[in-house]
Amino acid sequence: MATPEISTSTRAVQDTAKLFGARLAAGAFSVFFTAWLIRLLPEDELVIWPIALGLAGAIEALGSLGMGDTFVREIPRYLAKGERDTASALLKTGVISNVLVCAVLTLVLASQASWTAQHLLGDVGKAGLVSSVALAAFFLALQKRMGWGLQATQQFGKMAALTLWSNVARTPLAVLLYLHMGIQGLLLAFTIVPAVAAGLSLIWLWRHLWYSSRLQAPGPLLRFSLPFYGVSIAGFLTGRAHYLLVGLLTSPQVLATYFVASKVVDYIRELDRFGVSAITPKLAEKGGNDPNARSRVLSKCSRYVFLVLLPMHLGVAVLAVPIVRLYAGEGYAEAGAILTALCFYAFYNVHRAHIQVFAPPTHLLGLQVVAGALNVGAMAALVVPYGAMGAALAKLISYVLLSAAAAWVLKHTVRLQYDTSALRSALVAGAALCVVAFACGAGLGQ
C-alpha cells in the first residue's frame, strides 16, 4: 500500500521541479526581449503595457466570483476522497461563470474607450486602441482563471509548459510584431499568447470538466465563494491596481519609470509565486485536520523564505541601480531607487497561503480587505507628492504591515513555528551578500 503513495509523492515533486525549471528558464530567456522591448517603446507607448496588465487584473478579479480560492480549497479534497463527480461539477460551474462575467466586463471596458484613453493613456485620441487593449486584457484574465483550475487539479507539469510558452513566446513575438505593426502589433502579441494558453488550459481541464454532466447549484456555491470574491478584489487592489492608480494620479512618464522598476522585481516575485502556488494544493491535501502537520509545513516554508528569498531580495536591492541601467538603459536610471524599495517583501505570501487553505474564509477576506485598503490609501497619500517613489514606498509599507497582520490572523488557526536556525544562517549570508553586492555596485558605478 505504500508504493502508490510514494509514487504519487515522487510525481508531485517531479511536476513541481518542472514548474520551477520552466519559470526559471522562461524568465531568463525573456529578460533579453523584455529589455529590448522596453528600449524600443517610447514612454507614451510603453505605458500601454502596464495599463493592459492593470485592466487584465481588474477583469480577472471582478470576473473571478471567488472561484479560484474555492477551487484550490475544495477540489483537491474532493479528488483525494474519490469524489470526482462533485469536483467536476464545481470546476465546470466555476469556469463557465468566470468566462461569462469576464466577457461582460470586457465589453463594458470597450464601451468606455474615450474615458479610458483620456484618464489612463493621457490622450483621448488613443480611444481606438482601447478595444485592442480590452481584448488583450480579456485573454490575459482568462489565462489566469484557467490557471486556477490547473493548480487545483495539481497539473503542475502542464502549468510548467504554459509558463514556458507564455513567458518565452510573448516578448519575442511582441518585439517582432511591434517592429512590423507598431503598438497594435504589441497588443496583438499580448492577445495571441494568452489566448493560446487559455485554450490549452481548457483542453487539459476537459476530462475534469466533463467527468460529470451536472453543474453545481450556483446559489450555495456563490455564497460559499463570496468571501473569496472579496479576497480576489482586495488582492487586485494590492496587486496590479498599482499600475492603474499611478496612471490615474500621475503622468505617463511617471508610470513608465515605475513600470520599469516593477518589471525587474517581477522576476523575483516569480520565484515567490512558484513556492506558494506549488505548496497550496498540497497544504489542502496533506494538512487536513492535523495542527502539528500544519506547523511543520509552515516551518519548512519559512526555511525556503529565509535561505533562498531573503538573500536574493537583499542582493537585488543593493545592486538595483546598475541592474536597471543594464536592463532598461540610462534613461531609466532613476528607477533604481524605486526597485530597491520594491524588493523588501517576502513573507506575506507564505502566511497568506496557509490562511487561504486552513483558516475560515472570513479570515482571508478580512486580511485582504485590510491589504487593499492599506495599498490604495498609502498610494493615494504618497503617489501625488512623490510620484513613482511614492508608489514604491506605499507597497513597502503595505507589505510590512500585512506580514505582521497575517501572522496575527494565522496564529488563531496554526501554531506559528519558524525555522530560526535558517533565519540566523540567512542573516549572516545576507549580510555577506550585501557587502559583496555593494562593492560590485560601487565598482559598476565608477
Side-chain angles (χ1 to χ4, degrees):
M1 296 298 293
T3 302
E5 183 178 350
I6 293 173
S7 177
T8 301
S9 176
T10 301
R11 284 196 299 270
V13 171
Q14 290 173 343
D15 285 344
T16 302
K18 288 179 184 177
L19 182 59
F20 174 73
R23 290 187 173 182
L24 193 62
F29 181 84
S30 68
V31 165
F32 171 76
F33 287 97
T34 302
W36 187 5
L37 191 58
I38 287 174
R39 289 167 182 258
L40 278 176
L41 293 167
E43 285 183 341
D44 62 331
E45 292 184 344
L46 178 61
V47 295
I48 295 175
W49 189 348
I51 291 301
L53 294 178
L55 291 173
I59 292 172
E60 195 256 333
L62 293 172
S64 73
L65 301 177
M67 295 299 169
D69 288 307
T70 298
F71 287 171
V72 170
R73 190 182 182 105
E74 297 299 311
I75 289 176
R77 294 178 180 176
Y78 288 136
L79 294 177
K81 293 187 295 184
E83 299 178 13
R84 294 188 63 190
D85 184 80
T86 304
S88 174
L90 170 60
L91 182 63
K92 182 163 48 184
T93 303
V95 167
I96 291 173
S97 301
N98 289 163
V99 172
L100 290 176
V101 177
C102 287
V104 170
L105 292 169
T106 302
L107 292 175
V108 171
L109 172 61
S111 70
Q112 301 299 314
S114 296
W115 185 95
T116 303
Q118 180 178 355
H119 291 88
L120 291 178
L121 302 180
D123 184 359
V124 72
K126 293 180 179 177
L129 282 174
V130 173
S131 295
S132 298
V133 172
L135 187 61
F138 170 75
F139 282 109
L140 286 166
L142 192 60
Q143 179 184 2
K144 290 287 187 181
R145 299 315 318 158
M146 296 297 104
W148 281 99
L150 293 177
Q151 182 180 343
T153 54
Q154 300 186 40
Q155 300 188 61
F156 295 122
K158 302 293 194 305
M159 291 175 67
L162 287 184
T163 298
L164 193 62
W165 155 255
S166 299
N167 290 352
V168 169
R170 182 170 52 235
T171 46
L173 183 61
V175 169
L176 178 64
L177 293 181
Y178 178 78
L179 291 173
H180 285 81
M181 301 172 58
I183 193 61
Q184 287 287 1
L186 173 75
L187 293 172
L188 182 59
F190 286 179
T191 302
I192 292 173
V193 173
V196 172
L200 288 173
S201 298
L202 187 60
I203 291 171
W204 291 330
L205 289 171
W206 199 258
R207 64 187 176 91
H208 295 282
L209 290 168
W210 294 103
Y211 183 86
S212 170
S213 59
R214 69 182 180 90
L215 293 172
Q216 188 96 330
L221 178 59
L222 289 173
R223 283 194 295 273
F224 178 83
S225 301
L226 186 61
F228 296 133
Y229 192 23
V231 168
S232 295
I233 295 172
F236 163 69
L237 295 177
T238 61
R240 288 182 173 177
H242 60 161
Y243 293 142
L244 303 182
L245 287 169
V246 174
L248 283 170
L249 296 174
T250 61
S251 65
Q253 291 73 26
V254 172
L255 177 56
T257 301
Y258 177 74
F259 176 65
V260 167
S262 180
K263 196 64 181 170
V264 175
V265 87
D266 276 348
Y267 296 109
I268 306 175
R269 286 198 182 103
E270 193 65 21
L271 293 176
D272 296 0
R273 294 189 191 107
F274 157 74
V276 173
S277 64
I279 66 171
T280 301
K282 289 301 177 185
L283 292 177
E285 182 180 318
K286 294 186 175 181
N289 298 315
D290 183 358
N292 292 326
R294 299 173 185 177
S295 296
R296 287 194 298 269
V297 172
L298 177 60
S299 178
K300 290 180 181 179
C301 292
S302 70
R303 186 184 310 155
Y304 170 75
V305 171
F306 294 145
L307 295 180
V308 178
L309 297 184
L310 184 58
M312 178 180 60
H313 285 222
L314 289 173
V316 173
V318 174
L319 281 172
V321 173
I323 286 174
V324 168
R325 285 175 175 165
L326 183 63
Y327 181 72
E330 289 291 337
Y332 290 105
E334 61 182 298
I338 299 165
L339 173 59
T340 297
L342 289 174
C343 277
F344 288 103
Y345 70 93
F347 215 75
Y348 168 64
N349 287 334
V350 173
H351 282 156
R352 185 192 180 282
H354 285 74
I355 294 171
Q356 175 184 348
V357 173
F358 297 127
T362 51
H363 286 191
L364 185 58
L365 173 60
L367 180 66
Q368 286 296 99
V369 168
V370 171
L374 273 174
N375 192 60
V376 173
M379 283 210 166
L382 297 175
V383 167
V384 173
Y386 301 111
M389 178 54 76
L393 291 175
K395 298 290 286 186
L396 174 60
I397 292 169
S398 297
Y399 273 116
V400 170
L401 295 178
L402 285 172
S403 294
W408 182 82
V409 171
L410 185 61
K411 74 177 183 179
H412 293 84
T413 305
V414 177
R415 182 170 58 87
L416 299 183
Q417 181 176 315
Y418 305 109
D419 192 329
T420 54
S421 63
L423 176 59
R424 287 193 295 269
S425 300
L427 291 175
V428 173
L433 183 62
C434 284
V435 172
V436 174
F438 182 80
C440 292
L444 288 172
Q446 289 178 353

